[in-house]
Amino acid sequence: MKLNQQGLEDQAQWEQAGFGLPQFDREAVTAATKENPFWIHFGAGNIFRAFQANVVQNLLNAGELDRGLIVAEGFDYEIVQKMNRPHDDYSILVTLKADGNVEKTVVGSVVESCILDSEDAVEYERLKEIFRKDSLQMVSFTITEKGYSLVNGKGELLPAVESDFLTGPRKPVSYIGKVASLLYTRYQAGEKPVAMVSMDNCSHNGDKLYAAVNTFAEKWTENGTAETGFLAYVNNKEKVTFPWSMIDKITPRPDASVEAILKADGVEELEPVITSKNTYVAPFVNAEECEYLVIEDAFPNGRPALEKGGLMFTERETVDKVEKMKVCTCLNPLHTALAIFGCLLGYKKISEEMKDAELKKLVETIGYTEGLPVVVNPGVLDPKEFIDTVLNVRVPNPFMPDTPQRIATDTSQKLAIRFGETIKAYQASPKLHVTDLKLIPLVFAGWLRYLMAVDDEGNTFDLSPDPLLETVRPYVEGFRLGEEADVETALKPVLADVKIFGVDLYKAGMAEKVCGYFKEMAAAKGAVRAVLTKYVG
């Protein structure tokens, strides 16, 4: 059983092994999609394959759509070269349900994969062709929050971006430069309307995409490398929109236990590929069953009825409320807390942490007691029910092979939103007091303790990737477990860093508490557990 067009011709074999298969004429859908594409997505990663691609497949199966998806990869071309194309753009979705059931689906809604490489004339021209099409309604992105940044961790323009500003839209090399160039192609084709939809898990994601693209439009029109009308086009909401969205579905990297299930079914060539850019991809993706995608309904070229596939379309204010509910209170802060302390306590699975009474109490208190009082109910989702599902179904799911090490990635980029917004809400409230927050500062202290790269048993471990590691690690590199140190002086610059915490912790009246927790956790082996017992239990 090979995952490609030829291997799927024997449908009975796959169905007997329990796989759900595409129920549409893929050849006809492919032809219609290539001729009149309606949706191209940038970012060929797990979330896209597990969520958006499966939604479109369900709608194709139901006869609600007659065209599929085109995916483009602009960061790691090997994903397309070594995974998408060898498998004829098919992938396997393994849904790991909390009740222990495993649902296996062959997803065939992606019918073309492209490489966002301006150095490859054939690849780039195909993307330009897609962007010239009248039919194109949506360009979406899951490229991570870092993908929209034009600067490095020190605030300096990235060299590729700086070069692209000067050379213009003909052959840019930076990711957003190439996206802006394709949008310029659409402008030149007759100022055709389109929605540019960030679906990344970050606050006000549409604004981040807009800011990056608009900066290119400004630079190019200023220096004459693009027509002056391009900037007006990017800023004309009747032509181009940058809707906000909120996405939520846990899709850990492909797990060996899931690979074993598929191998036992007879599926061949399942071996994951680790690319030269250290991306870990496989022909399958494993994911939880819960999923949410709420999108601002701003589509100047129209859109299909994707709400029939479970997506929620609403106004920007509601997206903002949902996003804040999830990112600032009801899920992401809880994940980050578990990631930090999971690394310190040697856990390899997030689900295992929920069997730890103190860690369970930690996230329950952060969610229900410290966070929930400042959540605005968005109406389309109930905050308490959302936390209930997170803590009782999603995070404890033993079949979800998610790790604290994965979630600890880029923590410096997450703290300001995941916790800083709650602190700001407390500061702004006439009834709430920042001094009432006991466990959010404990998470901050835990992160600083984590940066020592020594676990609670005194063993060293590898820190997860983070763009600010070189900036923040020096603040703790002089500390050793059990040794006296001037913690306040050493940590003062980072505790006052608004970009990291969302607030100046000194001005918020929280720095002293964070320093105190940190000193206790660095006092000896076993001190992290002792602090959790003391303040959480």
Side-chain angles (χ1 to χ4, degrees), residues 18-77:
F19 288 83
L21 298 178
Q23 302 296 310
F24 53 88
D25 184 338
R26 194 168 189 249
E27 190 175 333
V29 165
T30 299
T33 305
K34 288 186 175 182
E35 182 58 34
N36 291 301
F38 78 96
W39 182 355
I40 183 169
H41 182 87
F42 287 87
N46 291 339
I47 184 74
F48 165 73
R49 293 163 63 200
F51 196 168
Q52 293 93 329
N54 192 47
V55 166
V56 170
Q57 166 134 319
N58 290 337
L59 291 171
L60 283 164
N61 286 345
E64 297 290 348
L65 288 176
D66 59 0
R67 288 165 294 164
L69 280 159
I70 299 172
V71 70
E73 178 55 41
F75 171 70
D76 194 336
Y77 306 154

Short mmCIF file of all heavy atoms in Angstrom, two decimals, residues 18-77:
data_model
loop_
_atom_site.label_atom_id
_atom_site.label_comp_id
_atom_site.label_asym_id
_atom_site.label_seq_id
_atom_site.Cartn_x
_atom_site.Cartn_y
_atom_site.Cartn_z
N GLY A 18 -9.30 0.21 7.07
CA GLY A 18 -9.95 1.21 7.92
C GLY A 18 -9.70 2.65 7.55
O GLY A 18 -9.96 3.55 8.37
N PHE A 19 -9.24 2.92 6.34
CA PHE A 19 -8.95 4.29 5.93
C PHE A 19 -10.16 4.91 5.22
O PHE A 19 -10.78 4.28 4.36
CB PHE A 19 -7.76 4.33 4.96
CG PHE A 19 -6.44 4.06 5.62
CD1 PHE A 19 -6.01 2.76 5.85
CD2 PHE A 19 -5.62 5.11 6.03
CE1 PHE A 19 -4.79 2.50 6.46
CE2 PHE A 19 -4.40 4.87 6.64
CZ PHE A 19 -3.98 3.56 6.86
N GLY A 20 -10.46 6.15 5.58
CA GLY A 20 -11.41 6.94 4.81
C GLY A 20 -10.71 7.51 3.60
O GLY A 20 -9.58 8.00 3.71
N LEU A 21 -11.33 7.42 2.43
CA LEU A 21 -10.70 7.84 1.19
C LEU A 21 -11.43 9.02 0.57
O LEU A 21 -12.62 9.25 0.85
CB LEU A 21 -10.67 6.68 0.19
CG LEU A 21 -9.89 5.43 0.61
CD1 LEU A 21 -10.00 4.35 -0.46
CD2 LEU A 21 -8.43 5.76 0.87
N PRO A 22 -10.76 9.79 -0.29
CA PRO A 22 -11.46 10.85 -1.02
C PRO A 22 -12.63 10.28 -1.80
O PRO A 22 -12.49 9.25 -2.49
CB PRO A 22 -10.37 11.40 -1.96
CG PRO A 22 -9.07 11.04 -1.30
CD PRO A 22 -9.32 9.74 -0.62
N GLN A 23 -13.77 10.96 -1.70
CA GLN A 23 -14.99 10.47 -2.37
C GLN A 23 -15.36 11.36 -3.55
O GLN A 23 -16.53 11.57 -3.84
CB GLN A 23 -16.15 10.43 -1.35
CG GLN A 23 -15.90 9.56 -0.14
CD GLN A 23 -15.74 8.10 -0.50
OE1 GLN A 23 -16.56 7.54 -1.23
NE2 GLN A 23 -14.67 7.47 -0.01
N PHE A 24 -14.36 11.89 -4.23
CA PHE A 24 -14.63 12.79 -5.36
C PHE A 24 -13.71 12.42 -6.51
O PHE A 24 -12.73 11.68 -6.33
CB PHE A 24 -14.43 14.25 -4.94
CG PHE A 24 -13.10 14.55 -4.31
CD1 PHE A 24 -11.99 14.90 -5.09
CD2 PHE A 24 -12.93 14.46 -2.93
CE1 PHE A 24 -10.76 15.17 -4.51
CE2 PHE A 24 -11.68 14.72 -2.34
CZ PHE A 24 -10.60 15.07 -3.13
N ASP A 25 -14.03 12.93 -7.67
CA ASP A 25 -13.22 12.68 -8.86
C ASP A 25 -12.00 13.58 -8.81
O ASP A 25 -12.04 14.74 -9.18
CB ASP A 25 -14.06 12.97 -10.12
CG ASP A 25 -13.32 12.65 -11.42
OD1 ASP A 25 -12.07 12.61 -11.40
OD2 ASP A 25 -13.99 12.47 -12.44
N ARG A 26 -10.89 13.04 -8.32
CA ARG A 26 -9.71 13.89 -8.08
C ARG A 26 -9.12 14.42 -9.38
O ARG A 26 -8.60 15.55 -9.42
CB ARG A 26 -8.65 13.10 -7.31
CG ARG A 26 -7.55 14.02 -6.73
CD ARG A 26 -6.70 13.29 -5.74
NE ARG A 26 -5.79 14.17 -5.03
CZ ARG A 26 -4.46 14.16 -5.19
NH1 ARG A 26 -3.90 13.32 -6.05
NH2 ARG A 26 -3.69 14.99 -4.50
N GLU A 27 -9.22 13.65 -10.44
CA GLU A 27 -8.68 14.12 -11.72
C GLU A 27 -9.44 15.36 -12.20
O GLU A 27 -8.84 16.34 -12.63
CB GLU A 27 -8.77 12.99 -12.76
CG GLU A 27 -8.02 13.29 -14.04
CD GLU A 27 -8.03 12.11 -15.02
OE1 GLU A 27 -8.15 10.95 -14.56
OE2 GLU A 27 -7.92 12.36 -16.23
N ALA A 28 -10.76 15.29 -12.09
CA ALA A 28 -11.59 16.44 -12.51
C ALA A 28 -11.37 17.64 -11.60
O ALA A 28 -11.28 18.78 -12.07
CB ALA A 28 -13.07 16.03 -12.52
N VAL A 29 -11.27 17.37 -10.29
CA VAL A 29 -11.05 18.45 -9.32
C VAL A 29 -9.68 19.10 -9.56
O VAL A 29 -9.54 20.33 -9.51
CB VAL A 29 -11.16 17.91 -7.88
CG1 VAL A 29 -10.58 18.90 -6.87
CG2 VAL A 29 -12.61 17.59 -7.54
N THR A 30 -8.68 18.29 -9.86
CA THR A 30 -7.34 18.82 -10.13
C THR A 30 -7.35 19.74 -11.34
O THR A 30 -6.80 20.85 -11.30
CB THR A 30 -6.34 17.66 -10.35
OG1 THR A 30 -6.30 16.86 -9.16
CG2 THR A 30 -4.96 18.19 -10.66
N ALA A 31 -7.98 19.29 -12.40
CA ALA A 31 -8.04 20.10 -13.62
C ALA A 31 -8.77 21.42 -13.38
O ALA A 31 -8.31 22.49 -13.80
CB ALA A 31 -8.73 19.31 -14.73
N ALA A 32 -9.89 21.35 -12.65
CA ALA A 32 -10.68 22.56 -12.37
C ALA A 32 -9.90 23.52 -11.47
O ALA A 32 -9.96 24.74 -11.64
CB ALA A 32 -12.01 22.18 -11.72
N THR A 33 -9.17 22.96 -10.51
CA THR A 33 -8.41 23.79 -9.58
C THR A 33 -7.26 24.50 -10.27
O THR A 33 -7.02 25.69 -10.05
CB THR A 33 -7.85 22.93 -8.42
OG1 THR A 33 -8.93 22.22 -7.80
CG2 THR A 33 -7.14 23.78 -7.39
N LYS A 34 -6.55 23.79 -11.11
CA LYS A 34 -5.41 24.40 -11.80
C LYS A 34 -5.86 25.49 -12.77
O LYS A 34 -5.16 26.49 -12.96
CB LYS A 34 -4.60 23.32 -12.53
CG LYS A 34 -3.82 22.43 -11.58
CD LYS A 34 -2.92 21.45 -12.30
CE LYS A 34 -2.06 20.66 -11.31
NZ LYS A 34 -1.13 19.73 -11.98
N GLU A 35 -7.04 25.30 -13.35
CA GLU A 35 -7.54 26.29 -14.30
C GLU A 35 -8.13 27.50 -13.58
O GLU A 35 -7.90 28.64 -13.97
CB GLU A 35 -8.62 25.65 -15.20
CG GLU A 35 -9.19 26.59 -16.25
CD GLU A 35 -8.12 27.15 -17.19
OE1 GLU A 35 -7.15 26.43 -17.51
OE2 GLU A 35 -8.27 28.33 -17.62
N ASN A 36 -8.87 27.25 -12.52
CA ASN A 36 -9.54 28.34 -11.78
C ASN A 36 -9.34 28.18 -10.28
O ASN A 36 -10.29 27.86 -9.55
CB ASN A 36 -11.03 28.38 -12.12
CG ASN A 36 -11.29 28.83 -13.54
OD1 ASN A 36 -10.89 29.92 -13.92
ND2 ASN A 36 -11.93 27.98 -14.33
N PRO A 37 -8.14 28.36 -9.77
CA PRO A 37 -7.90 28.20 -8.33
C PRO A 37 -8.67 29.22 -7.52
O PRO A 37 -8.80 30.38 -7.92
CB PRO A 37 -6.39 28.44 -8.21
CG PRO A 37 -6.03 29.29 -9.39
CD PRO A 37 -6.95 28.85 -10.49
N PHE A 38 -9.19 28.77 -6.36
CA PHE A 38 -9.88 29.73 -5.48
C PHE A 38 -9.10 29.97 -4.19
O PHE A 38 -9.29 30.97 -3.52
CB PHE A 38 -11.30 29.26 -5.18
CG PHE A 38 -11.42 28.16 -4.14
CD1 PHE A 38 -11.67 28.47 -2.80
CD2 PHE A 38 -11.29 26.82 -4.49
CE1 PHE A 38 -11.78 27.47 -1.84
CE2 PHE A 38 -11.40 25.82 -3.53
CZ PHE A 38 -11.64 26.14 -2.20
N TRP A 39 -8.19 29.03 -3.83
CA TRP A 39 -7.49 29.13 -2.55
C TRP A 39 -6.09 28.57 -2.69
O TRP A 39 -5.91 27.42 -3.06
CB TRP A 39 -8.28 28.35 -1.50
CG TRP A 39 -7.75 28.37 -0.10
CD1 TRP A 39 -6.60 28.94 0.37
CD2 TRP A 39 -8.38 27.79 1.06
NE1 TRP A 39 -6.46 28.75 1.72
CE2 TRP A 39 -7.55 28.05 2.18
CE3 TRP A 39 -9.56 27.06 1.26
CZ2 TRP A 39 -7.86 27.61 3.47
CZ3 TRP A 39 -9.87 26.63 2.55
CH2 TRP A 39 -9.04 26.91 3.63
N ILE A 40 -5.10 29.40 -2.43
CA ILE A 40 -3.71 28.94 -2.33
C ILE A 40 -3.22 29.20 -0.91
O ILE A 40 -3.50 30.26 -0.34
CB ILE A 40 -2.77 29.60 -3.37
CG1 ILE A 40 -1.34 29.01 -3.24
CG2 ILE A 40 -2.75 31.11 -3.25
CD1 ILE A 40 -0.42 29.39 -4.39
N HIS A 41 -2.53 28.22 -0.35
CA HIS A 41 -2.08 28.32 1.03
C HIS A 41 -0.56 28.25 1.08
O HIS A 41 0.05 27.37 0.46
CB HIS A 41 -2.67 27.19 1.87
CG HIS A 41 -2.27 27.25 3.32
ND1 HIS A 41 -2.98 27.99 4.24
CD2 HIS A 41 -1.21 26.71 3.99
CE1 HIS A 41 -2.38 27.88 5.42
NE2 HIS A 41 -1.31 27.11 5.29
N PHE A 42 0.05 29.16 1.83
CA PHE A 42 1.50 29.17 2.02
C PHE A 42 1.84 28.55 3.38
O PHE A 42 1.39 29.03 4.42
CB PHE A 42 2.05 30.59 1.93
CG PHE A 42 2.06 31.13 0.53
CD1 PHE A 42 0.94 31.76 0.00
CD2 PHE A 42 3.17 30.98 -0.29
CE1 PHE A 42 0.92 32.23 -1.30
CE2 PHE A 42 3.18 31.45 -1.59
CZ PHE A 42 2.04 32.08 -2.10
N GLY A 43 2.65 27.50 3.34
CA GLY A 43 3.04 26.80 4.57
C GLY A 43 2.53 25.37 4.52
O GLY A 43 1.39 25.10 4.92
N ALA A 44 3.37 24.44 4.04
CA ALA A 44 2.92 23.06 3.81
C ALA A 44 3.12 22.18 5.04
O ALA A 44 3.44 21.00 4.91
CB ALA A 44 3.69 22.48 2.61
N GLY A 45 2.91 22.74 6.21
CA GLY A 45 3.17 22.02 7.45
C GLY A 45 2.00 21.21 7.96
O GLY A 45 0.96 21.05 7.30
N ASN A 46 2.17 20.72 9.19
CA ASN A 46 1.20 19.78 9.77
C ASN A 46 -0.17 20.38 10.01
O ASN A 46 -1.18 19.73 9.78
CB ASN A 46 1.76 19.22 11.08
CG ASN A 46 2.95 18.31 10.86
OD1 ASN A 46 3.14 17.78 9.78
ND2 ASN A 46 3.76 18.13 11.89
N ILE A 47 -0.23 21.62 10.50
CA ILE A 47 -1.54 22.20 10.81
C ILE A 47 -2.38 22.31 9.55
O ILE A 47 -3.58 22.01 9.54
CB ILE A 47 -1.40 23.58 11.53
CG1 ILE A 47 -2.76 24.14 11.93
CG2 ILE A 47 -0.66 24.59 10.67
CD1 ILE A 47 -3.41 23.48 13.09
N PHE A 48 -1.76 22.72 8.46
CA PHE A 48 -2.49 22.84 7.19
C PHE A 48 -2.98 21.48 6.72
O PHE A 48 -4.14 21.33 6.29
CB PHE A 48 -1.59 23.48 6.13
CG PHE A 48 -2.10 23.31 4.72
CD1 PHE A 48 -3.20 24.04 4.28
CD2 PHE A 48 -1.50 22.41 3.85
CE1 PHE A 48 -3.68 23.87 2.99
CE2 PHE A 48 -1.98 22.24 2.56
CZ PHE A 48 -3.07 22.98 2.13
N ARG A 49 -2.13 20.49 6.80
CA ARG A 49 -2.50 19.16 6.30
C ARG A 49 -3.58 18.53 7.16
O ARG A 49 -4.44 17.79 6.65
CB ARG A 49 -1.25 18.26 6.26
CG ARG A 49 -0.24 18.71 5.21
CD ARG A 49 1.12 18.08 5.45
NE ARG A 49 1.11 16.63 5.32
CZ ARG A 49 2.03 15.83 5.83
NH1 ARG A 49 3.02 16.33 6.54
NH2 ARG A 49 1.94 14.53 5.67
N ALA A 50 -3.55 18.82 8.47
CA ALA A 50 -4.51 18.20 9.38
C ALA A 50 -5.84 18.93 9.44
O ALA A 50 -6.87 18.34 9.77
CB ALA A 50 -3.92 18.14 10.79
N PHE A 51 -5.83 20.22 9.13
CA PHE A 51 -7.02 21.04 9.36
C PHE A 51 -7.62 21.56 8.05
O PHE A 51 -8.64 21.03 7.56
CB PHE A 51 -6.66 22.21 10.29
CG PHE A 51 -7.84 22.90 10.92
CD1 PHE A 51 -7.64 23.81 11.96
CD2 PHE A 51 -9.15 22.68 10.50
CE1 PHE A 51 -8.71 24.47 12.56
CE2 PHE A 51 -10.22 23.34 11.10
CZ PHE A 51 -9.99 24.24 12.12
N GLN A 52 -6.99 22.57 7.46
CA GLN A 52 -7.59 23.19 6.28
C GLN A 52 -7.79 22.19 5.14
O GLN A 52 -8.84 22.17 4.49
CB GLN A 52 -6.75 24.38 5.81
CG GLN A 52 -6.73 25.54 6.78
CD GLN A 52 -5.56 25.51 7.73
OE1 GLN A 52 -5.08 24.44 8.12
NE2 GLN A 52 -5.08 26.67 8.15
N ALA A 53 -6.78 21.35 4.91
CA ALA A 53 -6.88 20.38 3.82
C ALA A 53 -8.01 19.38 4.08
O ALA A 53 -8.72 18.96 3.15
CB ALA A 53 -5.56 19.65 3.63
N ASN A 54 -8.19 19.00 5.34
CA ASN A 54 -9.24 18.03 5.66
C ASN A 54 -10.63 18.67 5.56
O ASN A 54 -11.59 18.01 5.13
CB ASN A 54 -9.01 17.46 7.06
CG ASN A 54 -9.89 16.26 7.35
OD1 ASN A 54 -9.98 15.34 6.54
ND2 ASN A 54 -10.55 16.26 8.49
N VAL A 55 -10.74 19.94 5.96
CA VAL A 55 -12.02 20.65 5.81
C VAL A 55 -12.43 20.68 4.33
O VAL A 55 -13.58 20.41 3.97
CB VAL A 55 -11.93 22.08 6.38
CG1 VAL A 55 -13.11 22.94 5.93
CG2 VAL A 55 -11.88 22.04 7.91
N VAL A 56 -11.49 21.03 3.46
CA VAL A 56 -11.79 21.09 2.03
C VAL A 56 -12.13 19.70 1.50
O VAL A 56 -13.04 19.54 0.68
CB VAL A 56 -10.61 21.73 1.25
CG1 VAL A 56 -10.80 21.59 -0.26
CG2 VAL A 56 -10.49 23.21 1.63
N GLN A 57 -11.43 18.67 1.97
CA GLN A 57 -11.77 17.31 1.55
C GLN A 57 -13.20 16.96 1.92
O GLN A 57 -13.94 16.39 1.11
CB GLN A 57 -10.80 16.30 2.17
CG GLN A 57 -11.27 14.86 2.05
CD GLN A 57 -10.19 13.91 1.59
OE1 GLN A 57 -9.40 14.22 0.70
NE2 GLN A 57 -10.16 12.72 2.17
N ASN A 58 -13.60 17.27 3.15
CA ASN A 58 -14.97 16.97 3.58
C ASN A 58 -15.99 17.67 2.69
O ASN A 58 -17.05 17.10 2.36
CB ASN A 58 -15.17 17.37 5.04
CG ASN A 58 -14.42 16.48 6.00
OD1 ASN A 58 -14.10 15.34 5.68
ND2 ASN A 58 -14.10 16.98 7.19
N LEU A 59 -15.70 18.90 2.31
CA LEU A 59 -16.63 19.66 1.46
C LEU A 59 -16.63 19.12 0.03
O LEU A 59 -17.68 19.12 -0.64
CB LEU A 59 -16.26 21.14 1.47
CG LEU A 59 -16.51 21.85 2.81
CD1 LEU A 59 -15.91 23.25 2.81
CD2 LEU A 59 -18.00 21.94 3.12
N LEU A 60 -15.48 18.67 -0.45
CA LEU A 60 -15.44 18.01 -1.76
C LEU A 60 -16.24 16.71 -1.73
O LEU A 60 -17.01 16.41 -2.65
CB LEU A 60 -13.98 17.73 -2.15
CG LEU A 60 -13.16 18.90 -2.65
CD1 LEU A 60 -11.68 18.56 -2.63
CD2 LEU A 60 -13.58 19.30 -4.07
N ASN A 61 -16.07 15.93 -0.65
CA ASN A 61 -16.81 14.67 -0.51
C ASN A 61 -18.31 14.90 -0.50
O ASN A 61 -19.08 14.09 -1.02
CB ASN A 61 -16.40 13.96 0.78
CG ASN A 61 -15.02 13.33 0.70
OD1 ASN A 61 -14.46 13.18 -0.39
ND2 ASN A 61 -14.46 12.97 1.84
N ALA A 62 -18.72 16.02 0.11
CA ALA A 62 -20.16 16.33 0.23
C ALA A 62 -20.72 17.01 -1.01
O ALA A 62 -21.92 17.30 -1.07
CB ALA A 62 -20.39 17.22 1.45
N GLY A 63 -19.85 17.30 -1.99
CA GLY A 63 -20.32 17.98 -3.20
C GLY A 63 -20.51 19.47 -3.04
O GLY A 63 -21.08 20.13 -3.90
N GLU A 64 -20.02 20.03 -1.92
CA GLU A 64 -20.15 21.47 -1.67
C GLU A 64 -19.08 22.27 -2.42
O GLU A 64 -19.24 23.46 -2.64
CB GLU A 64 -20.05 21.76 -0.17
CG GLU A 64 -21.15 21.12 0.67
CD GLU A 64 -22.52 21.76 0.47
OE1 GLU A 64 -22.58 22.85 -0.16
OE2 GLU A 64 -23.51 21.17 0.90
N LEU A 65 -17.97 21.61 -2.76
CA LEU A 65 -16.91 22.25 -3.53
C LEU A 65 -16.62 21.41 -4.77
O LEU A 65 -16.80 20.19 -4.76
CB LEU A 65 -15.62 22.37 -2.70
CG LEU A 65 -15.58 23.40 -1.57
CD1 LEU A 65 -14.25 23.28 -0.83
CD2 LEU A 65 -15.76 24.82 -2.09
N ASP A 66 -16.14 22.09 -5.82
CA ASP A 66 -15.73 21.35 -7.01
C ASP A 66 -14.25 21.57 -7.33
O ASP A 66 -13.74 21.09 -8.33
CB ASP A 66 -16.59 21.75 -8.22
CG ASP A 66 -16.50 23.24 -8.54
OD1 ASP A 66 -15.77 23.97 -7.83
OD2 ASP A 66 -17.16 23.68 -9.51
N ARG A 67 -13.58 22.33 -6.46
CA ARG A 67 -12.14 22.57 -6.62
C ARG A 67 -11.45 22.36 -5.29
O ARG A 67 -12.05 22.51 -4.23
CB ARG A 67 -11.89 23.99 -7.13
CG ARG A 67 -12.27 24.22 -8.59
CD ARG A 67 -12.34 25.70 -8.91
NE ARG A 67 -13.43 26.35 -8.19
CZ ARG A 67 -13.55 27.66 -8.04
NH1 ARG A 67 -12.63 28.46 -8.54
NH2 ARG A 67 -14.57 28.16 -7.38
N GLY A 68 -10.17 22.03 -5.36
CA GLY A 68 -9.40 21.75 -4.16
C GLY A 68 -8.41 22.85 -3.85
O GLY A 68 -8.59 24.01 -4.26
N LEU A 69 -7.35 22.47 -3.17
CA LEU A 69 -6.36 23.42 -2.67
C LEU A 69 -5.04 23.33 -3.43
O LEU A 69 -4.65 22.27 -3.90
CB LEU A 69 -6.07 23.11 -1.20
CG LEU A 69 -7.06 23.62 -0.16
CD1 LEU A 69 -6.92 22.81 1.12
CD2 LEU A 69 -6.81 25.09 0.13
N ILE A 70 -4.37 24.49 -3.49
CA ILE A 70 -2.98 24.53 -3.94
C ILE A 70 -2.15 24.96 -2.73
O ILE A 70 -2.53 25.90 -2.01
CB ILE A 70 -2.79 25.53 -5.10
CG1 ILE A 70 -3.65 25.12 -6.30
CG2 ILE A 70 -1.31 25.63 -5.48
CD1 ILE A 70 -3.67 26.13 -7.42
N VAL A 71 -1.05 24.28 -2.48
CA VAL A 71 -0.19 24.65 -1.37
C VAL A 71 1.16 25.11 -1.91
O VAL A 71 1.63 24.60 -2.94
CB VAL A 71 0.00 23.47 -0.38
CG1 VAL A 71 0.83 22.34 -0.98
CG2 VAL A 71 0.59 23.95 0.95
N ALA A 72 1.73 26.09 -1.26
CA ALA A 72 3.06 26.59 -1.63
C ALA A 72 3.94 26.60 -0.39
O ALA A 72 3.47 26.90 0.72
CB ALA A 72 2.96 28.00 -2.22
N GLU A 73 5.20 26.26 -0.56
CA GLU A 73 6.14 26.27 0.55
C GLU A 73 7.28 27.24 0.23
O GLU A 73 7.92 27.15 -0.82
CB GLU A 73 6.69 24.87 0.79
CG GLU A 73 7.73 24.77 1.90
CD GLU A 73 7.27 25.32 3.24
OE1 GLU A 73 6.10 25.07 3.61
OE2 GLU A 73 8.08 26.00 3.91
N GLY A 74 7.51 28.18 1.15
CA GLY A 74 8.50 29.21 0.90
C GLY A 74 9.68 29.21 1.86
O GLY A 74 10.63 29.96 1.67
N PHE A 75 9.61 28.38 2.88
CA PHE A 75 10.70 28.33 3.85
C PHE A 75 11.60 27.12 3.61
O PHE A 75 12.81 27.22 3.54
CB PHE A 75 10.17 28.30 5.28
CG PHE A 75 11.23 28.04 6.32
CD1 PHE A 75 12.19 29.00 6.60
CD2 PHE A 75 11.28 26.83 6.99
CE1 PHE A 75 13.19 28.76 7.55
CE2 PHE A 75 12.26 26.57 7.93
CZ PHE A 75 13.22 27.55 8.21
N ASP A 76 10.96 25.95 3.48
CA ASP A 76 11.71 24.71 3.35
C ASP A 76 11.22 23.96 2.11
O ASP A 76 10.25 23.22 2.16
CB ASP A 76 11.53 23.85 4.60
CG ASP A 76 12.52 22.72 4.69
OD1 ASP A 76 13.04 22.31 3.64
OD2 ASP A 76 12.77 22.23 5.82
N TYR A 77 11.91 24.18 0.98
CA TYR A 77 11.47 23.62 -0.29
C TYR A 77 11.45 22.09 -0.28
O TYR A 77 10.71 21.46 -1.04
CB TYR A 77 12.38 24.10 -1.43
CG TYR A 77 12.54 25.60 -1.54
CD1 TYR A 77 13.69 26.15 -2.11
CD2 TYR A 77 11.55 26.47 -1.08
CE1 TYR A 77 13.85 27.53 -2.23
CE2 TYR A 77 11.70 27.85 -1.19
CZ TYR A 77 12.86 28.38 -1.76
OH TYR A 77 13.01 29.73 -1.86
#
